[in-house]
Amino acid sequence: MKNLIRLLPILTVAASPVIADESDHWFVRPYVGVSIMSGLSSDFNDIDSLSGRADIDLSDGFTGGIGIGYRYSEKIALEFGWEYRSNESSTTLADASEFDGGNYASNIFYFNGHYLLSPHYRWQPYLGAGLTWVEEVDIDLERNGEERSFSGDGDVGYQLFAGASYRLDQDWAIQGEVRFGRVSDIDLSPESGATGDFSGLDYETSTLQLGVVYNF
């Protein structure tokens, strides 16, 4: 009971309304997070004089980005941003030969809509969805000190997310978010003297991220 009494002022502040006009302002949001991607498979052609299916194993990686947005009303905001992500990879070709190193990375631009569930409180949970455009996605295959790169661009996908921000004051907030994204049927062409290509890659991402929001 004593501990609960001590916590009451903190809980009261956390749940108290933020007395401000929450609409008609810009915000900027840098963030970092953990990039989670499942293993995938793809068709490949003329790599090591082979063609067939490749299995790509992926480990958890890094993502970071920045968005700038505008809050039109108490509950609606739009955001445009850029995101970089990288996951280490190992790739096994159809004959069981393996590239035991490499990474799967991307630069993506996005346009999102946010719907805020409790706009007048310090804790502000929200939901959102948006479209993504691939500026570049590439995979590097590494073996015995040799690296081969394959890349593609121009594909369109989507993302869904949910999160919550905590208002520190009228200008600053901290934010946590869970995000899922998908881009389908990506084709990757060779770079820098590599030969062959990949086709039909699906780029599915899950992200746990933390960010800082500045309202102005």
Side-chain angles (χ1 to χ4, degrees), residues 5 8 11 18-19 27 39 54 86 96 100 132 182 204:
I5 292 172
L8 280 176
L11 296 174
V18 177
I19 303 172
F27 63 89
S86 178
D100 55 4
T132 59
R182 180 180 174 88
E204 291 188 358

Side-chain angles (χ1 to χ4, degrees), residues 44-112:
F44 72 93
N45 179 60
D46 194 27
I47 297 177
D48 285 351
S49 301
L50 292 170
S51 298
R53 296 288 289 179
D55 294 320
I56 303 169
D57 293 323
L58 298 163
S59 62
D60 293 347
F62 166 82
T63 185
I66 187 168
I68 184 167
Y70 187 75
R71 190 157 171 179
Y72 285 90
S73 67
E74 291 182 344
K75 292 191 173 183
I76 301 296
L78 297 177
E79 180 187 24
F80 175 78
W82 162 84
E83 179 178 275
Y84 171 78
R85 137 182 349 256
S86 178
N87 291 71
E88 292 186 358
S89 66
S90 62
T91 303
T92 304
L93 301 183
D95 67 342
S97 62
E98 183 177 10
F99 293 86
D100 55 4
N103 75 333
Y104 198 25
S106 66
N107 283 299
I108 289 179
F109 291 94
Y110 59 82
F111 184 71
N112 289 335

